[in-house]
Amino acid sequence: MKRWFGIFVLIAAVSCSHRDGKHFDVIVAGGGASGVCAGIQAARSGAETLILEEGPWLGGMLTSAGVSAIDGNYRLRAGLFGEFCDSLAARYGGYEALKTGWVSDILFQPHVGAEVLDNIAAAETRLTVRKGTAVKAVEKQERGWRIITDAGCYSCKVLIDCTELGDVARMCGVNYNIGNAEGIIQDLTYVVTIRDYGPDADRTIAEPEGYDEALYVNCCLNPRNVLPFEKGQALWSPEMMLSYGRLPGGDIMLNWPIDGNDFYANIIDATPEERSEAIRQAKNKALGYLYFIQTALGFKNYGIAEGEYPTEDGLPLIPYYRESRRIEGEARFTFEAASAPYDGGNTLYRTGVAVGDYPVDHHHYAHPDWRNLHKSYSPIPSFTVPAGTMIPIGVEDLIVAEKSICTDCVVNGTTRLQPVVMELGQAAGLMAAMAAGNGCRVRELKVREIQSELLDAGARIQPYLDLMPEDPDFKALQRAGSSGAFRAEGRFENWRGESWLLSGHPERLDSVRTADNPAAFSAPSVSWPGH
């Protein structure tokens, strides 16, 4: 396989040599949740930017995979993530209109999410988006990269990998890890968006290939339950199960982890043929879940939502991948660093560029050995992800975002979620534009300068709830916490982490105001590891 790949790269390079496309400052491979934010921010930061997206939509897991329910960061909205949420709220008539299902405070129709992202991207004159364009190979230049696609070749000063599985990082020769010590990753899901076609309708699908009713009998409370239920999760009524992912407009997102449509397949290093087969099986598992709902539970009036996705079968464009390659980077973010950021002399929190407040949430119940894998839920305080997690060791002019940053396999269970991934994309785009504009290597950038630019772009670098971005002292408080002058108090309540810098210490704000010096904060005093 490795030999075949090398031959393909050579052929692709030769065939492209006479039809090279435009040179860009920054190229983003993958227009998913992270990639679209990377492209928008790079353009806003002054870089001529190109997004290469294999499919017809921007947004990745938010849209193309159908996971149109935001997990966490409801009180930490900022930056491009906040702009996306604000645009959704404006589209639907306010934030209360987005609280249609109990899994999330921010739900939306996938096609609406794709339209919103298209609109935000289209406003950037320095941003070019090429949909339906897959990266086939890359070539390292003395400075920058040459990108070989199925539609021509392009070159850039800085390349950002925002693909769903970190495929471009592998092409670039980055070292990476997959899963736990045994190579086991989290379950993926093929989401199904369904619609109620009325009480007299019968939208029952044909029985899917390999259908096994036993896989679904404990998805909710019903006469077919096999008890005791070993997986330690609540069995809800069918109505509660369906209302979990109810979207504005009435359609329902089926993304149900309790004997629903989760599916185990580690296809990260698989061949294209192996990936296609695994995706076909994942679709059948999801369709089997829908068939069970229609036949065993009696909801025959619920069928696949027609016209939601530009696909022949009415299903999402891609699966929901919870885990991808994890690069070996300049900084490694671990569960310990997230749960106890100040212990053991840790300084990584001082280099934060993206924040999250969701617990570590692992999906493993579709794996045969689920009993011995990481428990599904671990509460942690809100956290910030270090900038160095996106900088691969030993490879220049490359930034890696989306779900492929340098973490341990445990904390990936929270850094994988949509808000964090979007924020990482924004940080990646800003870093790429800075490096391209300054004519320097990415790893030569100064963390303090990156953080200052992110604050100016409306983003957060620390997850404090004390002040919001519109407050006059917001940036000062963010800088004070990042400098290590004060330590935040971490909590976990109501399925979300919290961090408070002023809690019990109101006098700190006066100290912050007096001592805050943006120019001094921006001084090149912090290296990638953050020491």
Side-chain angles (χ1 to χ4, degrees):
M1 178 60 190
K2 288 183 179 179
R3 181 183 178 187
W4 174 89
F5 180 76
I7 293 172
F8 174 81
V9 171
L10 178 61
I11 294 173
V14 171
S15 64
C16 272
S17 60
H18 298 296
R19 53 191 181 99
D20 278 2
K22 183 180 176 182
H23 176 80
F24 291 85
D25 296 318
V26 176
I27 290 181
V28 182
S34 203
V36 65
C37 292
I40 292 168
Q41 185 58 56
R44 288 183 180 179
S45 297
E48 291 295 325
T49 305
L50 171 66
I51 294 176
L52 298 171
E53 166 53 38
E54 187 170 356
W57 278 4
L58 296 175
M61 58 179 161
L62 290 163
T63 59
S64 298
V67 190
S68 54
I70 299 291
D71 291 308
N73 281 34
Y74 309 130
R75 295 183 293 173
L76 294 175
R77 295 194 305 271
L80 284 171
F81 165 63
E83 186 175 334
F84 174 66
C85 294
D86 288 346
S87 297
L88 290 173
R91 178 76 173 255
Y92 285 106
Y95 273 97
E96 287 301 312
L98 305 181
K99 297 180 181 180
T100 49
W102 56 270
V103 68
S104 172
D105 284 354
I106 301 176
L107 296 104
F108 55 95
Q109 295 157 289
H111 79 273
V112 170
E115 290 171 5
V116 166
L117 292 172
D118 274 345
N119 291 339
I120 297 173
E124 302 305 322
T125 58
R126 291 187 175 91
L127 176 61
T128 302
V129 177
R130 295 272 186 263
K131 297 176 182 176
T133 306
V135 176
K136 296 299 184 181
V138 297
E139 295 176 354
K140 186 71 183 76
Q141 309 296 296
E142 182 177 351
R143 296 300 293 262
W145 295 86
R146 186 162 176 266
I147 316 301
I148 302 159
T149 78
D150 50 6
C153 299
Y154 305 90
S155 61
C156 64
K157 297 177 182 177
V158 181
L159 174 62
I160 308 176
D161 179 5
C162 290
T163 57
E164 293 294 321
L165 296 175
D167 288 338
V168 169
R170 182 191 182 189
M171 294 179 190
C172 294
V174 173
N175 291 326
Y176 58 86
N177 299 290
I178 296 176
N180 64 8
E182 290 75 41
I184 298 171
I185 65 171
Q186 290 193 63
D187 303 337
L188 59 82
T189 301
Y190 219 103
V191 171
V192 183
T193 304
I194 62 172
R195 180 174 299 158
D196 183 355
Y197 287 92
D200 298 326
D202 185 352
R203 307 293 293 206
T204 305
I205 62 174
E207 182 178 299
E209 176 187 343
Y211 175 71
D212 181 1
E213 182 180 277
L215 295 173
Y216 314 102
V217 292
N218 283 329
C219 66
C220 62
L221 287 171
N222 68 88
R224 290 172 166 79
N225 286 152
V226 176
L227 302 175
F229 185 53
E230 297 181 350
K231 294 178 181 176
Q233 295 180 319
L235 291 181
W236 305 90
S237 68
E239 291 75 17
M240 281 293 289
M241 177 184 69
L242 292 174
S243 65
Y244 161 95
R246 188 175 297 280
L247 308 176
D251 288 350
I252 292 171
M253 174 192 71
L254 292 183
N255 176 23
W256 191 245
I258 309 171
D259 284 12
N261 47 335
D262 280 8
F263 180 81
Y264 183 76
N266 184 350
I267 61 175
I268 293 175
D269 271 347
T271 65
E273 295 76 19
E274 291 168 339
R275 285 187 177 183
S276 295
E277 174 58 21
I279 290 171
R280 186 189 68 81
Q281 293 178 24
K283 281 187 177 182
N284 274 339
K285 174 77 180 297
L287 291 172
Y289 175 45
L290 173 59
Y291 186 74
F292 182 85
I293 291 171
Q294 293 172 325
T295 58
L297 301 182
F299 292 91
K300 65 180 182 179
N301 51 309
Y302 282 84
I304 295 172
E306 296 177 351
E308 182 58 50
Y309 304 99
T311 56
E312 291 184 5
D313 58 12
L315 297 180
L317 295 147
I318 60 172
Y320 173 29
Y321 298 108
R322 290 185 177 86
E323 193 164 343
S324 63
R325 297 176 174 90
R326 304 190 321 277
I327 66 164
E328 293 183 5
E330 293 288 349
R332 186 169 181 262
F333 191 49
T334 64
F335 175 75
E336 290 74 22
S339 56
Y342 311 112
D343 289 0
N346 178 32
T347 58
L348 286 177
Y349 73 93
R350 300 184 190 179
T351 66
V353 292
V355 302
D357 67 1
Y358 207 73
V360 172
D361 182 22
H362 274 240
H363 286 234
H364 286 300
Y365 286 130
H367 192 278
D369 194 34
W370 61 266
R371 292 176 180 82
N372 296 317
L373 299 176
H374 188 270
K375 63 181 180 179
S376 61
Y377 165 76
S378 298
I380 57 174
S382 55
F383 58 88
T384 184
V385 183
T389 58
M390 295 187 285
I391 310 303
I393 294 173
V395 179
E396 300 292 354
D397 308 320
L398 176 68
I399 301 173
V400 180
E402 188 63 30
K403 297 177 289 289
S404 297
I405 63 171
C406 184
T407 69
D408 65 15
C409 68
V410 177
V411 84
N412 168 74
T414 184
T415 58
R416 67 177 174 83
L417 295 167
Q418 308 102 317
V420 180
V421 164
M422 294 182 78
E423 293 169 357
L424 287 168
Q426 181 171 10
L430 186 145
M431 291 160 60
M434 290 176 67
N438 295 336
C440 68
R441 302 292 192 185
V442 175
R443 71 185 73 254
E444 294 171 353
L445 295 172
K446 305 304 179 184
V447 175
R448 289 291 183 248
E449 294 175 0
I450 296 167
Q451 291 176 319
S452 291
E453 292 288 337
L454 282 171
L455 290 174
D456 288 344
R460 291 177 180 268
I461 58 176
Q462 296 294 337
Y464 309 142
L465 291 172
D466 304 276
L467 297 175
M468 296 297 108
E470 61 270 19
D471 294 319
D473 295 307
F474 173 79
K475 292 182 182 179
L477 201 68
Q478 293 276 305
R479 286 190 287 261
S482 299
S483 68
F486 305 109
R487 293 185 175 187
E489 177 187 340
R491 308 172 189 169
F492 187 85
E493 297 181 6
N494 300 321
W495 199 255
R496 60 193 176 198
E498 299 180 352
S499 293
W500 300 86
L501 203 64
L502 304 178
S503 179
H505 303 280
E507 75 285 352
R508 284 182 173 177
L509 187 54
D510 289 332
S511 300
V512 167
R513 289 169 177 163
T514 301
D516 185 46
N517 184 336
F521 179 78
S522 298
S525 58
V526 180
S527 60
W528 284 116
H531 296 296

